[in-house]
Amino acid sequence: MKYLFTLLFSGCILFTTAQSPTFVKVWETDTTIAVPESVLLHKGILYVSLIDGAGWDDDGIGGIGVMKPDGSGYKGRWITGLSAPKGMGVIGNKLYVADINRVAVFDIKKGQLIQTIPVPDSENLNDIAVGKGVVYISDSKAGKIWQLKKDKPTLYLDNAPRTNGLTFVNNELYYGEGKNLKKINKKKQISTITVLPEAIDGIEQLKNGDFIATSWPGYIFYVYSNGKYETLLETHQQKINTADIGIDKKNNIIYLPTFFGKKIAAYRVN
């Protein structure tokens, strides 16, 4: 009997640990967000890049909005005068925002523009990741990754077609290259983590070492650290985009901008 109980108990453990992750909606805004492309959580504030128009038009009508991590207190005109703002990152008191072929830098306490850094030969700057004082910026159209060191732009990686989502973890830069999730270490050695069914937009790493990756048409994937993956959510049937996500690692919350869906949603990963 004791042996049978041990087997049954072990079987329960195996069953429990083999369960798939779940994606549970915590809150969702109204459709009042002006084409949100990216979300960044920093010191208790959610920063939202707002294109407020076509994806790559240099029209000056975009900006940055802010809200609380529970979705309340939204201010849609915290920063104005950008064109097609996308990825964001913070170093010290500076907020870096990718905007077509330049990076706008703001004083994060005052919400004021400090400088605009042109990135020569760039075409469609997209996501931003920050690691050890360096800003990395993906250039989707040119197939390159740029870097800013002391606010000076240089080429970091060439020949990365359709590169988009970036995240920097433990001295390694993870990036989406079309459907490929790749990483590049400090020696610039590149390896492929997995190949997803759809092109990657946003990437974030969870506290357990696994990843959440989005695809803009409306797919969210859970990627295990060993490269296996599962589809967590599909919204393409409703024509709701899933763009460049933000993360609260402590609470396993993913913040999802829906682009033309004009709302932000928060999901807990269980």
Side-chain angles (χ1 to χ4, degrees):
M1 181 65 72
K2 182 178 180 181
Y3 177 69
L4 178 60
F5 176 78
T6 302
L7 286 177
L8 288 172
F9 182 71
S10 299
C12 288
I13 293 175
L14 288 173
F15 177 76
T16 300
T17 56
Q19 285 183 319
S20 296
T22 58
F23 209 46
V24 181
K25 187 181 291 184
V26 180
W27 55 259
E28 184 178 72
T29 68
D30 293 331
T31 55
T32 56
I33 315 297
V35 190
E37 199 280 337
S38 183
V39 178
L40 174 69
L41 176 65
H42 178 70
K43 292 187 176 180
I45 298 174
L46 286 180
Y47 297 87
V48 184
S49 61
L50 306 170
I51 294 176
D52 199 15
W56 296 103
D57 284 0
D58 200 353
D59 52 21
I61 64 173
I64 305 294
V66 293
M67 65 176 66
K68 296 178 182 178
D70 63 1
S72 65
Y74 177 60
K75 297 178 181 179
R77 297 183 63 80
W78 180 68
I79 285 172
T80 60
L82 298 174
S83 288
K86 294 182 174 64
M88 298 172 287
V90 174
I91 295 180
N93 190 44
K94 293 180 179 179
L95 175 68
Y96 292 79
V97 184
D99 194 12
I100 304 181
N101 59 0
R102 63 238 175 208
V103 177
V105 187
F106 295 89
D107 183 310
I108 204 166
K109 292 182 179 179
K110 298 178 181 178
Q112 295 178 353
L113 182 68
I114 298 173
Q115 63 176 324
T116 299
I117 305 172
V119 181
D121 300 320
S122 66
E123 298 184 53
N124 288 158
L125 298 181
N126 210 323
D127 200 13
I128 278 181
V130 172
K132 294 198 169 182
V134 179
V135 178
Y136 300 91
I137 317 111
S138 60
D139 188 342
S140 298
K141 188 174 181 180
K144 299 176 180 180
I145 297 176
W146 304 89
Q147 64 179 4
L148 299 180
K149 285 186 175 181
K150 296 182 179 179
D151 295 341
K152 302 296 182 183
T154 58
L155 182 62
Y156 177 73
L157 181 66
D158 203 353
N159 194 27
R162 300 180 68 195
T163 185
N164 193 339
L166 303 174
T167 190
F168 190 91
V169 184
N170 296 329
N171 293 320
E172 295 179 320
L173 181 67
Y174 293 82
Y175 63 101
E177 183 184 289
K179 299 178 181 180
N180 299 278
L181 174 56
K182 295 186 173 185
K183 74 173 179 179
I184 180 169
N185 63 22
K186 59 184 179 181
K187 296 180 180 180
K188 282 201 171 182
Q189 297 168 322
I190 298 173
S191 57
T192 299
I193 307 299
T194 194
V195 181
L196 295 176
E198 303 289 335
I200 297 169
D201 193 313
I203 308 167
E204 291 291 354
Q205 188 181 53
L206 300 166
K207 58 186 175 183
N208 66 358
D210 298 338
F211 295 87
I212 301 294
T214 63
S215 181
W216 186 84
Y219 298 86
I220 299 180
F221 301 100
Y222 189 101
V223 181
Y224 296 92
S225 57
N226 63 8
K228 294 183 179 180
Y229 64 85
E230 297 182 26
T231 302
L232 279 181
L233 183 68
E234 295 185 44
T235 62
H236 55 94
Q237 301 95 333
Q238 294 81 36
K239 297 183 179 179
I240 297 175
N241 305 118
T242 49
D244 184 16
I245 49 176
I247 189 170
D248 174 354
K249 278 194 175 184
K250 180 180 178 181
N251 297 301
N252 261 20
I253 300 290
I254 295 294
Y255 299 103
L256 174 67
T258 63
F259 210 86
F260 291 130
K262 297 186 177 181
K263 59 186 177 181
I264 305 294
Y267 291 84
R268 178 174 286 106
V269 184
N270 296 322

